[in-house]
Amino acid sequence: MFFTNPVILDPGVIIMTINEGDFIKISYTGKLEDGTIFDTTNEEVAKVHNVYNSNGRYGGDVIIIGVNQMIIGLEEDIKEHEVGYKGTVTIPPEKAFGDRDPKLLRDLPLRRLEQKPQVGMMVQFEGKQAKVLKVMGRHARLDFNSPMAGQMITYDYKIEAMLEELKEKAVGLSALYMAQEMDIEIDGTVAKVNVPLEFNYSQHWLNTKAQLALDMLKYTELTEVLYVETYTEELIKPDSEEQEQSEAEESDESESDEPEDSEELEEPGEE
């Protein structure tokens, strides 16, 4: 493999240093001051500590150095080491998730909240997540600060690899955005991204695909990104059969709602 930034200490020993623009794969576990784990790339750890996301992807993340894809303190520490390094770094709030902002505390009428608030619970309001600090009569005090704001953060992490191949970089970016490695073919400097048909129903994909293509073009040697949707009868037939079955069921329900034919009852006194 061709290394762009190798440091050779002894014959046959190559150390990969980390520089701006490098694609690296890291595994990590993030902890708060009290030891609470809030994020991890280890699936088993996530399940044990109740931070598992069934839609997430585990095993490591691909990150581009120097493009603000991670908190400042973690990136600074990574750049001081090399591929294969495993260690721990403790990061102050100003280089982690920032200090707590009192302006992000809001008192809101209970009627404006979809859920009945209780102290300590997380609620959604206008698309943002907040923690309930206090319930006062018909109002609740919400904290829109990040749960990690104002805290010292500790990361146990390992620099697993540096990605050199163009396809590795493109696939790594797709996993970063969509939590799964997409099927990507590389022809020279053109990437053909085979888009799963189920992505047609994903609002996240619709919001993300332009940024994914932009990052591929900006941070790799690619000059063109093609998104390809392939349809075959075998792929779309199940949907058609489900639709026909659904229509048949609706028809049966409609017929069952109609009154059955019966003889008219004679009114008393009629012959």
Side-chain angles (χ1 to χ4, degrees):
M1 180 179 291
F2 174 72
F3 298 109
T4 55
N5 304 300
V7 174
I8 303 177
L9 298 181
D10 297 306
V13 178
I14 297 178
I15 294 178
M16 292 294 296
T17 57
I18 307 298
N19 296 281
E20 298 285 317
D22 285 341
F23 280 65
I24 64 169
K25 183 176 182 179
I26 63 171
S27 56
Y28 58 84
T29 295
K31 304 175 185 178
L32 303 179
E33 292 178 32
D34 62 0
T36 300
I37 290 176
F38 65 90
D39 193 15
T40 182
T41 56
N42 185 309
E43 185 173 6
E44 292 304 314
V45 171
K47 290 178 178 179
V48 169
H49 293 274
N50 298 316
V51 292
Y52 177 72
N53 180 359
S54 59
N55 296 319
R57 179 176 178 272
Y58 294 91
D61 283 348
V62 172
I63 301 294
I64 308 173
I65 297 297
V67 298
N68 300 319
Q69 290 183 334
M70 67 185 81
I71 61 175
I72 297 173
L74 179 56
E75 181 169 295
E76 287 181 349
D77 198 70
I78 287 174
K79 288 193 288 188
E80 293 180 0
H81 299 96
E82 59 282 329
V83 175
Y85 170 80
K86 183 178 181 181
T88 299
V89 58
T90 298
I91 306 167
E94 61 270 19
K95 290 190 176 183
F97 295 94
D99 294 315
R100 292 178 57 79
D101 184 353
K103 295 180 181 178
L104 294 179
L105 301 180
R106 296 181 60 183
D107 292 336
L108 294 172
L110 300 184
R111 57 182 171 76
R112 298 189 63 186
L113 301 176
E114 296 181 1
Q115 304 164 269
K116 182 178 179 181
Q118 296 180 3
V119 174
M121 75 182 295
M122 303 300 293
V123 297
Q124 291 284 336
F125 179 74
E126 295 182 344
K128 298 179 180 180
Q129 194 173 50
K131 183 177 182 178
V132 180
L133 298 183
K134 186 182 297 186
V135 178
M136 309 160 289
R138 298 181 181 180
H139 290 76
R141 177 163 295 170
L142 304 185
D143 183 2
F144 288 89
N145 282 284
S146 165
M148 286 77 77
Q151 295 205 46
M152 299 281 287
I153 302 296
T154 298
Y155 277 98
D156 300 322
Y157 75 94
K158 181 179 180 181
I159 307 174
E160 302 283 355
M162 183 179 294
L163 307 187
E164 296 287 342
E165 301 294 334
L166 190 51
K167 181 173 180 177
E168 285 183 323
K169 295 178 181 180
V171 172
L173 279 175
S174 74
L176 182 64
Y177 277 97
M178 296 306 298
Q180 71 178 70
E181 294 185 348
M182 299 179 69
D183 179 16
I184 301 177
E185 302 172 28
I186 303 295
D187 183 6
T189 59
V190 177
K192 186 176 79 171
V193 183
N194 296 301
V195 182
L197 296 186
E198 60 266 23
F199 279 17
N200 287 323
Y201 310 102
S202 169
Q203 188 62 45
H204 177 63
W205 169 247
L206 296 177
N207 294 336
T208 296
K209 63 180 183 179
Q211 187 62 49
L212 172 57
L214 179 62
D215 282 357
M216 287 185 181
L217 296 170
K218 186 175 181 180
Y219 299 116
T220 74
E221 300 82 7
L222 291 171
T223 58
E224 190 173 353
V225 176
L226 306 177
Y227 287 133
V228 179
E229 296 179 0
T230 302
Y231 294 85
T232 64
E233 185 177 0
E234 288 74 18
L235 288 174
I236 63 178
K237 190 175 181 180
D239 292 336
S240 299
E241 290 178 346
E242 289 177 5
Q243 183 176 355
E244 291 175 1
Q245 182 178 355
S246 176
E247 291 175 352
E249 291 175 353
E250 291 177 0
S251 177
D252 292 341
E253 291 176 0
S254 177
E255 291 177 1
S256 65
D257 290 339
E258 295 179 0
E260 298 181 358
D261 293 337
S262 60
E263 296 182 359
E264 293 183 2
L265 298 177
E266 293 184 353
E267 294 291 337
E270 290 185 354
E271 294 182 358

